[in-house]
Amino acid sequence: MVSKVMRTTRPRPHDTALPRPVMLAIGGDSASGKTTLAGGLVEAIGRDRCTSICVDDYHRYDRAERQNMPFTALNPDCNYVDIMEQHLQMLATGQPILTPVYDHSTGTLARPQYVRPREFVIVEGLLLLSTKLSRACFDISVFLDPPEDLRRAWKMRRDTTLRGYSREQVVADLARRERDSADHIRPQRRYADIVVRFAPEAVPKDPPPPLSAELLLRPTVQHPPLSHILTNDDRAAMHLMVVRDDDGTPVDCLHVHGDAGAEESQLLQKVIWDGVADKREMPRGLGEISPGTRSEPLAVTQLLLFYHLLQEV
Amino acid sequence: MVSKVMRTTRPRPHDTALPRPVMLAIGGDSASGKTTLAGGLVEAIGRDRCTSICVDDYHRYDRAERQNMPFTALNPDCNYVDIMEQHLQMLATGQPILTPVYDHSTGTLARPQYVRPREFVIVEGLLLLSTKLSRACFDISVFLDPPEDLRRAWKMRRDTTLRGYSREQVVADLARRERDSADHIRPQRRYADIVVRFAPEAVPKDPPPPLSAELLLRPTVQHPPLSHILTNDDRAAMHLMVVRDDDGTPVDCLHVHGDAGAEESQLLQKVIWDGVADKREMPRGLGEISPGTRSEPLAVTQLLLFYHLLQEV
């Protein structure tokens, strides 16, 4: 088993060992924002330094075969989870993989793809944090946890525009998947180092500001010290509070309101960035939702993840 | 790296370790008889105890992409040899793989196949013995080395009947592949523990007897003691002689003529079988070419390989 402790020991004991990449897991339910978050990080780090893959193609059955199965594609029984674990171990130890490819347009398994890990490996997947061995392959893990209403709206928009489904099909799909979501996807939340919840503000404004971000920072990794610069006053646009997690354990909760000012956000980002050992210029373009539209909550979230990736190098 | 020495150490040090299968490599050029030999062994051992796979589907390019390449599918540059090595290591350590599948009818890469190693793993492939790491995954290796005339006749028969090619296409294919055969396939002969050459008798008879078998028994594995029961008189139907291999090294050469008598062959087989530690009944059906037609050279070859497989358990 690849243990997190072993993997981060540096310098490496043998010169002959393959260079080990920094591994980031992005978990979360369907349409929870995994691809968007991964894409932004790849842009910030640079495409030439990143390998970004999705491990949702380890299907045991194709679409036609799944028709008569008592479970959906979200169920571990519907996937080669053992092969996913094996491939993650390969990537974590610097080795290439031949990853299966599922063709969403035909619902069949297509030509596998050769993937070689670069310096940073960003992996997204529905079952990524579902097993101990899979989790052990990562230096840092994130779980995206938007409010269920928001996720359903995102899924509706994506599947009816990009994937060619009707609204009725998406509604039926969500209903069919609910049980497997509850049993197999949502429980993964508790294994992530960081839980990210983008959500609209409780009090509506016109025009609506960008979504706020609430980040649970679990002590499973070392976060940048922020308590000395952030208030614990929850009326402030950015604040850090100790809260009780769903299971009752205390955890730091960083909140960035959608209408947090750029200046205030920059200050927080500077403090995070100052903690990076490898002093380089702060990446540009963080927080960009679309050309010209910027979200401070997204910028802070991306920078915090970037910070963790660089800490692991 | 999985070393042969490590792999055969028993009992196993940790109870939690996966059971390691016995690994047999069957190498040789296209249409040299790999599939036929593997099939006979699987029948003898029992389908429920064997995993039999061909690792010629690790193509980097499909048929259309290969059209403009300066090499054929026999060339290592045309294949994901690193992934083949990785998958062989997985099987050798008892782990499942998701192996790529090449569809000969369309010339494209199809849905990968999940393969779990059983007690005996019989692997055939064109590049199986081409790398040190690949070779190290096997307990025992065989290279099929029929005279080139015979192999070409076999390829012509197979490709024009089973694979739908015309005679002209097969002739062109053989010519196109010759360089890669010479550079990459035939050199693997020297790495096999056993080199098997089925060939017609030098002096023609009517009706022609089955092909004779010449087996080079390299000292890289421990062969059953045969020198006390076999003559070194090369006029005998079965004989064992020390000869010089192509590279000048001395090697035992077991020859079984096509017209060797069943009684004589049975005696040799009994001696081989007596050396098997696990005393079970000798497998039936060895040497069967087709229903009712039996070849003593084939029977001896299969039994010798079976002996080695059981020695490694």
Side-chain angles (χ1 to χ4, degrees):
Chain A
M1 203 181 87
V2 185
S3 88
K4 199 173 277 188
V5 176
M6 270 179 59
R7 294 205 50 256
T8 55
T9 303
R10 290 175 175 69
R12 283 147 193 144
H14 304 293
D15 285 333
T16 53
L18 289 167
R20 293 184 167 188
V22 176
M23 300 279 292
L24 167 68
I26 303 181
D29 208 340
S30 176
S32 60
K34 301 189 292 294
T35 307
T36 307
L37 185 64
L41 279 171
V42 171
E43 289 303 322
I45 299 168
R47 290 178 180 277
D48 54 327
R49 301 175 68 193
C50 287
T51 296
S52 170
I53 64 161
C54 171
V55 291
D56 286 342
D57 294 11
Y58 289 73
H59 294 304
R60 196 178 280 274
Y61 311 104
D62 64 18
R63 193 180 293 156
E65 291 163 348
R66 281 201 304 271
Q67 289 304 316
N68 300 315
M69 299 280 174
F71 40 64
T72 71
L74 302 183
N75 195 301
D77 290 345
C78 207
N79 294 273
Y80 293 124
V81 174
D82 53 352
I83 302 289
M84 179 188 79
E85 289 173 337
Q86 191 184 86
H87 286 192
L88 291 173
Q89 287 175 86
M90 289 292 158
L91 293 174
T93 52
Q95 296 171 80
I97 57 168
L98 200 58
T99 182
V101 172
Y102 181 77
D103 183 342
H104 278 279
S105 68
T106 60
T108 60
L109 285 144
R111 177 180 181 162
Q113 195 188 349
Y114 183 83
V115 176
R116 186 179 281 286
R118 295 198 184 90
E119 198 179 344
F120 298 95
V121 175
I122 299 174
V123 188
E124 51 171 298
L126 289 162
L127 294 170
L128 211 51
L129 305 178
S130 68
T131 80
K132 198 167 177 176
L133 184 50
S134 173
R135 294 192 293 272
C137 294
F138 292 95
D139 295 288
I140 175 98
S141 60
V142 180
F143 187 86
L144 289 170
D145 185 36
E148 188 64 5
D149 282 355
L150 182 61
R151 182 183 77 83
R152 285 170 181 250
W154 283 345
K155 188 169 168 67
M156 181 61 79
R157 191 174 61 193
R158 182 191 69 187
D159 289 0
T160 55
T161 54
L162 299 179
R163 299 197 178 164
Y165 290 94
S166 70
R167 292 188 68 84
E168 293 68 31
Q169 282 175 318
V170 180
V171 170
D173 194 41
L174 278 164
R176 218 161 43 85
R177 286 173 171 229
E178 172 52 26
R179 184 171 164 179
D180 280 334
S181 277
D183 288 354
H184 302 292
I185 308 300
R186 300 205 282 267
Q188 295 176 54
R189 178 185 181 279
R190 73 187 176 96
Y191 296 113
D193 299 314
I194 300 175
V195 177
V196 177
R197 172 178 285 243
F198 288 108
E201 297 296 338
V203 184
K205 287 192 185 180
D206 189 34
L211 300 173
S212 68
E214 187 179 276
L215 288 83
L216 289 190
L217 309 177
R218 295 221 173 94
T220 44
V221 291
Q222 183 118 27
H223 298 285
L226 299 176
S227 60
H228 65 292
I229 63 131
L230 285 172
T231 172
N232 64 358
D233 179 352
D234 66 4
R235 289 164 302 180
M238 300 196 303
H239 57 264
L240 183 73
M241 293 171 74
V242 174
V243 299
R244 284 203 184 277
D245 200 354
D246 288 359
D247 63 357
T249 54
V251 64
D252 245 340
C253 178
L254 170 63
H255 194 102
V256 183
H257 270 291
D259 52 8
E263 206 170 311
E264 199 178 357
S265 165
Q266 289 294 332
L267 186 68
L268 173 60
Q269 290 178 47
K270 192 179 173 306
V271 171
I272 294 172
W273 198 246
D274 282 348
V276 173
D278 174 9
K279 287 287 173 240
R280 62 180 83 190
E281 208 182 334
M282 202 191 292
R284 290 157 188 278
L286 291 181
E288 203 164 82
I289 303 171
S290 57
T293 316
R294 197 181 141 80
S295 149
E296 296 308 328
L298 180 61
V300 170
T301 303
Q302 288 173 334
L303 189 73
L304 187 73
L305 294 178
F306 197 17
Y307 165 92
H308 279 292
L309 289 174
L310 292 177
Q311 292 307 87
E312 297 295 343
V313 171
Chain B
M1 203 181 88
V2 184
S3 88
K4 197 174 275 185
V5 176
M6 270 179 59
R7 294 206 50 253
T8 56
T9 303
R10 291 178 175 66
R12 285 151 192 139
H14 303 292
D15 286 332
T16 53
L18 289 167
R20 293 186 166 185
V22 177
M23 299 280 293
L24 167 68
I26 304 182
D29 208 340
S30 175
S32 61
K34 299 188 293 295
T35 307
T36 307
L37 185 63
L41 278 171
V42 171
E43 288 303 322
I45 299 167
R47 290 180 179 277
D48 54 327
R49 301 176 67 194
C50 288
T51 296
S52 170
I53 64 160
C54 172
V55 291
D56 287 342
D57 294 10
Y58 289 73
H59 294 303
R60 195 179 282 272
Y61 311 104
D62 64 18
R63 194 180 291 154
E65 290 164 348
R66 282 202 304 273
Q67 289 304 316
N68 299 317
M69 299 279 173
F71 40 61
T72 71
L74 303 182
N75 195 301
D77 290 344
C78 207
N79 295 272
Y80 293 123
V81 174
D82 53 352
I83 303 289
M84 179 188 79
E85 290 174 336
Q86 189 184 88
H87 285 190
L88 291 173
Q89 288 175 84
M90 289 292 158
L91 293 173
T93 52
Q95 295 171 81
I97 57 168
L98 200 59
T99 182
V101 172
Y102 181 78
D103 182 343
H104 277 279
S105 68
T106 59
T108 59
L109 285 145
R111 175 179 180 161
Q113 195 188 349
Y114 183 83
V115 176
R116 184 179 282 285
R118 296 198 184 92
E119 197 178 345
F120 299 94
V121 176
I122 299 174
V123 188
E124 51 171 298
L126 290 161
L127 294 169
L128 211 49
L129 306 177
S130 67
T131 80
K132 198 168 177 176
L133 183 51
S134 173
R135 294 191 293 272
C137 294
F138 292 96
D139 296 287
I140 176 96
S141 61
V142 180
F143 188 86
L144 289 170
D145 185 34
E148 189 63 4
D149 283 357
L150 183 61
R151 183 182 77 83
R152 286 170 180 250
W154 283 346
K155 186 166 168 70
M156 181 62 77
R157 192 173 61 192
R158 182 193 68 187
D159 288 0
T160 55
T161 55
L162 299 181
R163 297 197 181 166
Y165 289 94
S166 70
R167 293 188 67 83
E168 292 69 29
Q169 282 175 317
V170 179
V171 170
D173 193 42
L174 279 163
R176 216 162 43 87
R177 285 174 171 229
E178 171 53 26
R179 186 171 161 180
D180 281 333
S181 276
D183 289 352
H184 302 292
I185 309 300
R186 299 203 284 268
Q188 295 176 54
R189 177 186 181 279
R190 73 186 176 99
Y191 296 112
D193 299 314
I194 301 175
V195 178
V196 177
R197 172 178 284 244
F198 289 108
E201 297 296 338
V203 183
K205 287 191 182 178
D206 189 37
L211 300 173
S212 69
E214 188 180 273
L215 288 82
L216 288 191
L217 309 177
R218 295 221 173 93
T220 44
V221 291
Q222 183 119 26
H223 298 285
L226 299 174
S227 62
H228 65 291
I229 63 130
L230 285 171
T231 172
N232 64 357
D233 180 352
D234 66 4
R235 290 164 303 182
M238 300 196 304
H239 57 264
L240 182 72
M241 293 172 72
V242 173
V243 298
R244 284 203 184 277
D245 200 355
D246 288 357
D247 63 358
T249 54
V251 64
D252 245 339
C253 177
L254 170 63
H255 193 102
V256 183
H257 270 290
D259 52 9
E263 206 169 311
E264 199 177 356
S265 165
Q266 289 292 332
L267 187 66
L268 173 59
Q269 290 179 48
K270 190 180 174 305
V271 170
I272 294 173
W273 198 245
D274 282 348
V276 174
D278 174 10
K279 288 288 172 235
R280 63 181 81 191
E281 209 182 332
M282 202 191 294
R284 291 155 189 278
L286 291 182
E288 203 165 83
I289 303 172
S290 56
T293 315
R294 196 181 143 80
S295 150
E296 296 308 328
L298 180 61
V300 170
T301 303
Q302 289 174 333
L303 189 72
L304 187 72
L305 294 179
F306 197 16
Y307 164 93
H308 279 292
L309 289 175
L310 292 177
Q311 293 307 88
E312 298 294 342
V313 171

